[in-house]
Every structure is written in C-alpha cells, then in structure tokens.
Amino acid sequence: MKRIQEKAAQRAFGDNQIIRVSARMMVPFIQLFGLYVIVHGHYSPGGGFQGGVLLGASYILLALAFDLKTSLKTFSESMNSILGTTGALIFVGTAVLCALVGGLFLDYSALEPLLPLGPIEWRSFGIFIVEVGVGLAVMSIMLSLYWDLSSGGELDEGL
Amino acid sequence: MTGLTAEIVAKYNYWLYVILMMVGLYAMIGKKNLVKKLLGMNIFQTAIILLYVSSGVKRGAGIPIVDKYKALAQGVDPTLVVNPLPHVLMLTAIVVSVSVTGVALAVLLRIYREYGTLEEDEILEKIGK
Amino acid sequence: MKAIALLCSLITGAVLLYGVQDFAPWSDPASPASTHVSSHYIRNSVPETHVPNIVTAVLGDYRGYDTMFETVVIFCAGMAVICVLRRSKS
C-alpha cells in the first residue's frame, strides 16, 4: 500500500492514460447533454442555469484531466468573455426589444411583428431565447471562476 | 410527551433543517478559520433552500411538468402538481449562492496572499501591528 | 468564543423550533403555500405560455425580471472575481 502511495505521489496529478482518454471521450457527450438540457428545458427538468453549469463542467473536466493550458487552448479566455457578455446581452436585449417594439418590458408576446407565430407561441419562444442567454452567461462565468480560483488569477499554472 | 413526538413526526423536515441551520450558524460564529466560516455559510444556505423546497411538497402530487395538449384541453388539477413557486425561487437562490461562494473564495485567496494565513486571530494580529 | 457560538446557535434554533409549531405539517395539501397563489400559476401557465414545464414558464416569463437580474448578478460575480484575482501577464 505504501509503495503504491509513493508511486502515486511521484507521478504528476492526472498524468494517466486512462484518465486522459476517458475524459477526452466524455467531454463531447457532456457538452451534448448540456445543450440538450438547455434546449429541452420546456419539456423536461432543465433550463439555462443547469445546462450552463453542465457546459462549464465539461471544460472544467478538461482542465482537471489535462491541465489549465489545454483547457485554455480549446476555449480561449477572450472567447469566454465574449460569450459571457453575449449571454447577458441576449437576455437584456430581448427584454429591451420587447419594450422597443411596443409592448411591455419582458413581455415576449409583443415581439409578434418580427415573426408571425402568435402571441402565446412567442411567449414560449421568448423563454427559449432567454434560456440560451442564461446558459451562455452561466457557462462562461463558471469557467472563469474555475480558471481564476485554481490558478490564483495567473492563468498559466495551477490545476 | 406524545404531543411532542407527534409534533416532531409531523414536521420532521423543519426540525432537520433547523438543526442543519444551527450547524451552519455555529460554524460561522465559532470557527476561527475563514474557509470553515464560508463552509458554514454554505450549510446555512442549504438549510434555507431545503426549507423552501420542502414547503412545496404536496401529498399525492407529481412533478410540475404537465402534458401540454391534455392541459390545454382539460386544464390542470392543482392538487396533482407540486407547488412550482419554491422551486423557481430556490433555483435563483442556488445561483446566488454559487456566485457568493466564488467571490468569497476569490477574496480569501487575496487575503491569503496578503497575510499568509486564513486564521482570523492571526490576521487580526497582523493588522494590529 | 466557542461557548458563545454554541449558546447563540442553540437559542436561535430554539426560537425557530418554537416558530415551527405554527407551520403546516410535512406534505400537507392544505398548507398555505399550496393553496394561496400557486394554484393560479398551475392552472394558467400552460394555456398562457404553452410551456409544459411550469417551473421554466414561471422562471422565464412570470418572474423574468427576477431571472434577468439573476443573470446580471452572476455576471457581476464573474467580473468581481476577475477584478480581484486576475493579474496581467506582462
């Protein structure tokens, strides 16, 4: 037992073929499931918050199994900030657009002149748009929280 | 005594959450380590979230996802669906708790960088010098 | 300090447990939370929004203002962590 522990202590953390291959195989499926949870939030448990956390967790798994640089290579820091801002902007933009088109703030049925779906279907579709925005924002913030907290803000070393 | 036992059995969920909240409050006040204080705050938040979610449970009711076409044709019976409002409120509360934990951990990292410790009394000593 | 903390938490817990006796029992269908306003949402959310998941309907539509500022809160938390921790590479 002690020899195994010593051996494990010498090896770099996560530097293992099994962990790498299984993490690399699981990441696309986690992302697909995250997208499913966001998109299918109308018909099953789920929505923007949960799906966003799943999408962020897939990149965090990548960072845990390899290292921080690999996850930064697959999903760059500037892209992360752009996506997070876009997510928050989608939500607020939809709300403001409702007011600009002539309805009340956040009253999605006022968006009917843009696309003739019917006011009730527009309320359903507006919820979908908003959930996508929430998912993007939550994903980017989860990822940036992990990056900053695990490396102490340096973004080069760390977990 | 039977009255108290019957009371506890009928409301055992609230008793459990109050005990959980006491654990969190004790950790927030009594512990010297700042990370332990943060964990106590998380336990406290969990107790409050559980309290709200448990207030939405109805005996014999199902999940708040209904069949759309059936609901449009016949309407929904409110006694067959659990109360969805606590779930919505606590969904947002969980997100706030994650945000608060993230910001608190960042501040704790800064404190550790500045003072080299996370023990409250040692930090106060270093500030007093 | 530990004694004070124990005393504080015990007193708070005792007060809360005293208040618990006014609560409705666990999973009571006639509790105030289940009878007051929630039945309105359960009855009307599907005809008004065509979303089968009532939680999503309430989250995105009826309480959209709340959810919007929720997103703003989590965005601000991310910005705060970046401002507190991140150092420039140069």
Side-chain angles (χ1 to χ4, degrees):
Chain A
M1 188 66 197
K2 195 146 196 187
R3 254 185 58 207
I4 299 174
Q5 279 177 348
E6 277 169 9
K7 261 187 175 173
Q10 282 169 2
R11 204 187 297 143
F13 183 73
D15 188 18
N16 188 324
Q17 199 71 32
I18 296 173
I19 293 176
R20 286 185 170 195
V21 172
S22 55
R24 198 182 288 161
M25 276 169 61
M26 272 165 70
V27 163
F29 290 104
I30 295 175
Q31 288 174 349
L32 197 63
F33 183 61
L35 287 177
Y36 167 79
V37 166
I38 291 179
V39 173
H40 214 251
H42 283 38
Y43 301 96
S44 66
F49 291 114
Q50 297 93 322
V53 169
L54 272 167
L55 283 177
S58 71
Y59 287 106
I60 291 177
L61 176 67
L62 211 61
L64 280 173
F66 296 87
D67 54 357
L68 200 67
K69 276 180 188 157
T70 318
S71 102
L72 274 169
K73 231 178 269 165
T74 40
F75 196 63
S76 72
E77 185 197 335
S78 54
M79 190 70 192
N80 191 35
S81 341
I82 289 170
L83 273 185
T85 323
T86 313
L89 206 64
I90 284 174
F91 203 137
V92 183
T94 314
V96 171
L97 194 64
C98 296
L100 286 183
V101 167
L104 297 171
F105 193 69
L106 271 170
D107 181 13
Y108 309 126
S109 52
L111 292 173
E112 237 230 289
L114 303 181
L115 194 67
L117 285 177
I120 298 178
E121 284 302 319
W122 252 113
R123 282 182 85 165
S124 174
F125 192 56
I127 292 173
F128 172 72
I129 297 172
V130 155
E131 295 271 11
V132 169
V134 170
L136 284 178
V138 170
M139 175 192 78
S140 111
I141 297 305
M142 286 293 141
L143 203 50
S144 98
L145 280 185
Y146 174 78
W147 281 344
D148 281 330
L149 288 176
S150 66
S151 66
E154 307 275 349
L155 287 193
D156 47 359
E157 284 170 25
L159 294 173
Chain B
M1 193 60 204
T2 51
L4 186 64
T5 319
E7 173 89 6
I8 292 176
V9 169
K11 297 169 188 173
Y12 72 97
N13 55 331
Y14 299 122
W15 284 71
L16 284 179
Y17 306 147
V18 168
I19 290 167
L20 200 58
M21 191 225 76
M22 280 159 65
V23 172
L25 195 63
Y26 176 77
M28 276 171 79
I29 302 172
K31 294 289 176 189
K32 288 270 192 316
N33 194 312
L34 291 176
V35 177
K36 286 179 183 170
K37 276 179 192 280
L38 180 61
L39 284 178
M41 197 181 74
N42 270 333
I43 294 171
F44 199 112
Q45 282 172 336
T46 310
I48 290 166
I49 287 167
L50 283 171
L51 171 79
Y52 270 82
V53 168
S54 83
S55 74
V57 179
K58 274 185 228 170
R59 203 178 291 111
I63 56 170
I65 298 171
V66 293
D67 191 344
K68 180 175 164 186
Y69 296 104
K70 210 173 148 193
L72 284 178
Q74 304 164 7
V76 191
D77 186 6
T79 57
L80 293 181
V81 177
V82 297
N83 189 353
L85 300 181
H87 299 189
V88 179
L89 297 179
M90 289 309 110
L91 193 62
T92 52
I94 289 169
V95 177
V96 168
S97 122
V98 169
S99 315
V100 168
T101 310
V103 175
L105 281 173
V107 172
L108 287 186
L109 255 171
R110 269 302 275 271
I111 289 173
Y112 187 77
R113 234 184 242 161
E114 188 72 28
Y115 297 106
T117 176
L118 282 175
E119 300 291 326
E120 197 188 8
D121 39 359
E122 292 175 25
I123 293 171
L124 287 177
E125 235 173 56
K126 286 192 181 174
I127 291 175
K129 257 178 203 172
Chain C
M1 193 63 194
K2 297 244 154 118
I4 297 172
L6 196 62
L7 200 67
C8 275
S9 51
L10 280 179
I11 289 174
T12 315
V15 169
L16 286 176
L17 284 179
Y18 177 73
V20 155
Q21 58 179 311
D22 288 339
F23 279 29
W26 158 253
S27 77
D28 184 12
S31 68
S34 310
T35 52
H36 194 251
V37 75
S38 70
S39 53
H40 172 266
Y41 284 101
I42 294 170
R43 273 202 206 95
N44 296 339
S45 75
V46 178
E48 278 177 7
T49 62
H50 281 192
V51 177
N53 190 343
I54 301 173
V55 172
T56 305
V58 178
L59 184 81
D61 196 302
Y62 296 98
R63 294 188 67 86
Y65 203 61
D66 187 19
T67 313
M68 188 179 92
F69 281 103
E70 196 64 40
T71 316
V72 173
V73 161
I74 192 171
F75 188 73
C76 289
M79 291 300 115
V81 170
I82 288 175
C83 290
V84 168
L85 277 183
R86 196 167 284 182
R87 296 165 171 179
S88 62
K89 275 181 185 146
S90 54

